[in-house]
Amino acid sequence: MYCQNCGKQMEEGATFCSECGSSLQNQNTYTTSNSYTKSNSYAASFEMDSQKKGTAIAALVLGIFGLLAWIIPIVGLPIGIVGLVLGIKGSKKSGKGMAIAGIVLSTICLILTIINGAIGAYQGYKGEAWFQQEKNEFTLRDEKGNILMSGGIEAVELKSVDLGNGEKQYSAEIRFSDSAAEKFAQITAEHIGEQLGIYINDNRVSNPRVQSEIKGGVCQIFTESYEVANQMVQSLRKCI
């Protein structure tokens, strides 16, 4: 029995509360069942353990996804953070092994995401990020503008020829792939004496006259200055 006034547990048959002195005869005393309290406590404990185990599983799943999501920082960062938080919560009781695995994987995800984000930010600052790269198209056209060949560039280098008296003539040297080299040789053989237009996208950068068949897959485009040749080299490299 318990005193309704102060809540003190009383002995059976008591008429006054030993704590506050109130009369127990005029009170509606109440009792509790120890077995009921223990069963409720066990149920609450079981429910709490299940929740923590579910948290550990969620942390593990997010950690696994994080190993793939780090490639995209905007996705990998929140997944890594949530996985780490759930892993810490789940590691306190049930499912401790899964929670620790989730913590490790989420931490790896966060580290890779931060590194990837830093690299992306640096490339963006330098204008070298993949979404900032402009893809050019190289084409070789006849005098009527018909496309005879497109692509096939393997490398582009800036070259110079000493003309004497300290003067140099600069050129962009194009090296074609094996298959493109064969096609280029065939085109030059069929158009000897004609002018062929070398285009980057729709802009003609040179219009040389073919003197003979060009074999070996290498040709040079001569320009009037170093600046023009260097700009052409940079533009042609974007065709690779």
Side-chain angles (χ1 to χ4, degrees), residues 4-240:
Q4 190 176 6
N5 184 50
C6 66
K8 174 105 176 144
Q9 185 176 4
M10 299 289 104
E11 296 181 358
E12 292 292 336
T15 57
F16 290 92
C17 175
S18 60
E19 181 70 20
C20 64
S22 299
S23 173
L24 301 180
Q25 295 178 351
N26 298 326
Q27 294 186 22
N28 295 321
T29 56
Y30 59 93
T31 62
T32 61
S33 172
N34 287 337
S35 61
Y36 177 78
T37 303
K38 289 180 179 179
S39 63
N40 279 357
S41 176
Y42 176 78
S45 176
F46 178 78
E47 183 179 356
M48 184 176 297
D49 287 349
S50 299
Q51 290 177 350
K52 288 184 177 179
K53 190 171 183 180
T55 302
I57 294 174
L60 178 60
V61 172
L62 288 176
I64 294 173
F65 276 113
L67 292 182
L68 302 175
W70 68 268
I71 299 175
I72 306 175
I74 196 173
V75 177
L77 189 61
I79 288 179
I81 292 175
V82 174
L84 184 61
V85 172
L86 292 179
I88 293 173
K89 288 184 177 180
S91 65
K92 295 180 179 179
K93 226 171 188 183
S94 298
K96 187 174 182 180
M98 290 184 292
I100 293 176
I103 292 173
V104 173
L105 294 177
S106 297
T107 302
I108 294 174
C109 169
L110 285 174
I111 293 174
L112 294 177
T113 299
I114 293 172
I115 293 175
N116 188 35
I119 294 174
Y122 176 77
Q123 290 178 335
Y125 173 75
K126 299 287 289 185
E128 299 174 353
W130 63 268
F131 56 84
Q132 295 173 309
Q133 296 296 317
E134 179 185 358
K135 183 64 177 179
N136 291 337
E137 182 183 18
F138 163 81
T139 55
L140 186 65
R141 309 186 187 189
D142 61 17
E143 294 176 342
K144 296 181 180 180
N146 299 315
I147 297 177
L148 305 174
M149 174 182 175
S150 62
I153 296 178
E154 193 173 70
V156 184
E157 299 293 338
L158 179 65
K159 298 291 183 177
S160 64
V161 177
D162 193 352
L163 301 177
N165 299 324
E167 296 183 2
K168 291 184 178 181
Q169 186 175 17
Y170 294 91
S171 66
E173 182 181 271
I174 304 175
R175 183 176 299 276
F176 296 101
S177 62
D178 293 339
S179 59
E182 293 180 6
K183 189 172 183 180
F184 183 70
Q186 181 182 353
I187 291 172
T188 54
E190 294 174 352
H191 293 81
I192 295 176
E194 300 178 15
Q195 287 182 298
L196 296 181
I198 297 176
Y199 285 76
I200 298 177
N201 296 330
D202 291 325
N203 300 318
R204 190 176 69 186
V205 297
S206 183
N207 193 35
R209 188 176 298 277
V210 181
Q211 301 295 331
S212 62
E213 179 183 358
I214 302 176
K215 298 181 179 181
V218 178
C219 74
Q220 289 185 322
I221 306 174
F222 289 93
T223 64
E224 64 273 15
S225 67
Y226 166 83
E227 288 74 19
V228 174
N230 185 56
Q231 183 177 1
M232 188 182 302
V233 168
Q234 299 305 320
S235 297
L236 285 169
R237 281 177 177 171
K238 292 181 182 180
C239 299
I240 301 175

